[in-house]
Amino acid sequence: MADKKHNRIRKDSVMIAFDVIKYILLTITSLLCVLPFVLIVSGSITSNETILREGYSILPRDISFDAYSMIFKAPEDILQAYKITIYYTAVGTLTGLAVIVLTAYVISRKEFKYRNVVSFLIYFTSIFGGGLVAWYLMYTNILGLKGTTFAIWFPAIMSPFLVILMRTFITGSVPDAIVESAKIDGAGEVKIAFGIYFPLCMPVLATIALFYAVGRWNAYSDALYYIKQNVALRPLQLKLYYLIVAASESFQTEGVATVSMTN
C-alpha cells in the first residue's frame, strides 16, 4: 500500500510539473503570436520620422495619429474597399467550397468510372502550370474578366490541393458499410451526400472554408493584375497599398524640399 501511494504521489508530481511546463510554453507561444499585432499597433501611432530614424518598437514613441487621419480622410473609399473585400471573401468562399466539396465527393465514389483519370488530371495541374502570363492572357483575352469582380474570386474556386485533401478525408472517415446500409434503406445519391458524407466531414469543411476566406481577404496580386484601373472594385489590401505608396511619395517630396531649403 505504501509503495502504491508513493507511486501515485510521484505520478501526480510528474503530471503537475508537466502541466506547469506545458502552460509556460503555451503562454510564451501565445505572446509570440500576439507580438506582431502589438508591433503593428505601436507603429501605427508612432510618427513616421521616428520609425525611419529609430525603427519599430513594442512601445509607441513620439505618438502621432497622422496615419489614421490620412486613412479616414476619405472614409467612403475605405468603406467601399471593405464592402468589396467582404463581397470577394463571401462569394469566393461559398463558391469555392461548393466546387471543392462536390468535386471531391464525385472522385471519391468507387461507382464513378473515370474517377482515377479525373483525379490524375487534378493532381497534374498542381505540379505543372502555365505560369502567370498564361493565366493573365486566358482571363483577359479569352474569358474577358479584366475589370470585373469575377477576376478576383472566379480563378480561385478550384484548388487541386484542397480537392485532394477533401477526397482523402472523405475516403478515410466514411466507412463503405454506412453507405451500403443507406442504399439498402433506399437512400439516393443526394441523401447519401448531404445526409452522411458532408455532416461527417465538417472539420475539413471548416478548414477549407478558412483557407478560402483568408486567401480571398488577403487577395492582392489578382486585384493588382485584373482590376487596377477600376477604383470602385479595389479590395482593401490594394487600397492600403496605394495609400502607402502615396504616403511614401509625399514623405520623400517633403524630405527633398527640406534638404533644399536647408542647403
Side-chain angles (χ1 to χ4, degrees), residues 205-230:
L205 290 178
T207 302
I208 294 174
L210 181 62
F211 283 161
Y212 264 111
V214 173
R216 290 305 89 205
W217 184 269
N218 293 327
Y220 164 76
S221 58
D222 293 341
L224 184 63
Y225 298 149
Y226 301 120
I227 58 172
K228 178 181 178 181
Q229 291 77 13
N230 197 333

Side-chain angles (χ1 to χ4, degrees), residues 97-223:
L97 190 62
V99 172
I100 293 296
V101 169
L102 296 178
T103 305
Y105 171 74
V106 171
I107 63 177
S108 67
R109 300 302 305 273
K110 296 180 180 179
E111 295 84 354
F112 181 47
K113 183 179 179 180
Y114 303 102
R115 67 189 186 99
N116 291 330
V117 176
V118 175
S119 299
F120 172 75
L121 293 177
I122 293 175
Y123 177 71
F124 183 83
T125 60
S126 66
I127 301 176
F128 302 99
L132 179 60
V133 175
W135 280 104
Y136 182 82
L137 293 176
M138 184 179 69
Y139 288 123
T140 56
N141 296 349
I142 299 176
L143 299 179
L145 299 180
K146 188 174 183 179
T148 65
T149 58
F150 285 91
I152 303 301
W153 60 265
F154 181 76
I157 61 175
M158 172 57 74
S159 172
F161 168 74
L162 296 179
V163 171
I164 296 172
L165 176 66
M166 184 71 188
R167 186 202 62 180
T168 305
F169 190 90
I170 289 176
T171 55
S173 62
V174 182
D176 294 335
I178 297 179
V179 179
E180 296 298 331
S181 300
K183 287 183 178 180
I184 294 175
D185 293 336
E189 291 295 335
V190 177
K191 180 65 176 179
I192 292 174
F194 290 93
I196 298 177
Y197 275 94
F198 297 159
L200 293 176
C201 296
M202 290 305 295
V204 72
L205 290 178
T207 302
I208 294 174
L210 181 62
F211 283 161
Y212 264 111
V214 173
R216 290 305 89 205
W217 184 269
N218 293 327
Y220 164 76
S221 58
D222 293 341

Side-chain angles (χ1 to χ4, degrees), residues 228-239:
K228 178 181 178 181
Q229 291 77 13
N230 197 333
V231 179
L233 298 182
R234 290 178 181 176
L236 183 63
Q237 306 299 330
L238 190 60
K239 179 66 178 178

